[in-house]
Amino acid sequence: MKYRSLVALLVVAWLTPTLASAYLISYSGSLSSLSGGLQGTGFWPDDGPRGGTTISWVVSQNDDGSWHYVYNLTVPRADVSHFILETSEDFTSADIINPTGPYASYSIGWNTGFPGVNTQPNPYMPDDEYGIKFDSTYGTTLVFTFDSPRMPVWADFYAKCGAVGGTQNTIWNTGFSTSEENDPTAPIGNGSIAYHILAPDTQTGPVPEPGTVCLVGLGLAGLKFIRRRKAS
């Protein structure tokens, strides 16, 4: 009996790191201009046989409770010149860790929008937006990554290229809100809510992991098994 009880405990101990790794929180989603998730100007929304524009994201929780953000923006042609990701208004340089991507520099602050107007630096952007601006970007497929202690919430983005053949190409999420207060307050999850993407919020700190609940359950199951063997 003691031997079997020991085996049960060893199984629980062996599964603990495996399950903790497998159940780390991760959310993903995407939006496409061809399915109505993105809006813009020029040929980025729909470039005929070349298709339209897509953005996808994966937001995962790190072991230390911080969050890992990955964004993939793909346009049909004409290099992206800058990409703006909305954040909470108290987001600072201390909240972005190890950023990577095809850009020359980035800044954090307010970016002026010009709804319906072709005016630099952000033509047609539906409204002013506070966030991270990755500047002097290049390529038609861009992948941006960074870590942050800030938890994800539903938010907006905007991107543009230089004029190509007299056409100003811009793109943004269809649910682009005119203020942070108008962004969805629905719980974060896979997919998209009201045509928004996930981006860093004001709040910091870890969210309880599903794996934690599973491990507690396994521990209780192991104790129950031991007690049952003793009773027999």
Side-chain angles (χ1 to χ4, degrees):
M1 292 181 184
K2 289 182 180 180
Y3 174 76
R4 290 182 180 178
S5 299
L6 179 60
V7 170
L9 287 175
L10 288 175
V11 169
V12 172
W14 176 76
L15 285 174
T16 294
T18 303
L19 288 171
S21 175
Y23 281 87
L24 280 176
I25 296 175
S26 183
Y27 303 101
S28 62
S30 64
L31 291 172
S32 168
S33 61
L34 298 182
S35 60
L38 304 178
Q39 294 181 351
T41 61
F43 48 71
W44 276 2
D46 186 357
D47 194 27
R50 289 188 177 90
T53 297
T54 61
I55 186 170
S56 61
W57 58 92
V58 177
V59 180
S60 307
Q61 191 175 28
N62 296 317
D63 291 336
D64 63 0
S66 64
W67 295 85
H68 184 63
Y69 292 84
V70 180
Y71 301 92
N72 186 323
L73 176 66
T74 300
V75 299
R77 59 188 172 107
D79 286 7
V80 179
S81 65
H82 70 248
F83 172 82
I84 299 173
L85 176 68
E86 181 188 18
T87 66
S88 295
E89 294 176 19
D90 64 347
F91 191 94
T92 69
S93 58
D95 295 311
I96 182 170
I97 304 167
N98 300 324
T100 68
Y103 64 90
S105 62
Y106 73 88
S107 59
I108 300 171
W110 282 102
N111 301 276
T112 303
F114 300 92
V117 180
N118 184 16
T119 300
Q120 297 296 343
N122 302 307
Y124 303 107
M125 190 165 80
D127 200 359
D128 297 349
E129 196 78 283
Y130 186 94
I132 311 167
K133 179 183 181 183
F134 295 95
D135 218 342
S136 299
T137 56
Y138 52 89
T140 55
T141 296
L142 297 81
V143 178
F144 302 96
T145 74
F146 61 87
D147 291 322
S148 178
R150 303 299 189 97
M151 295 168 56
V153 292
W154 299 110
D156 305 314
F157 88 96
Y158 167 89
K160 69 172 286 290
C161 79
V164 177
T167 300
Q168 188 71 60
N169 296 288
T170 65
I171 203 76
W172 60 85
N173 57 297
T174 299
F176 196 108
S177 304
T178 55
S179 71
E180 183 179 321
E181 289 73 24
N182 292 332
D183 289 331
T185 57
I188 58 177
N190 292 314
S192 174
I193 297 292
Y195 299 118
H196 282 72
I197 70 174
L198 291 177
D201 184 31
T202 300
Q203 187 177 358
T204 61
V207 169
E209 300 177 15
T212 302
V213 177
C214 180
L215 293 176
V216 171
L218 265 178
L220 292 174
L223 290 174
K224 187 174 182 180
F225 174 82
I226 293 171
R227 289 172 181 169
R228 196 176 278 177
R229 298 303 301 170
K230 285 183 176 179
S232 62

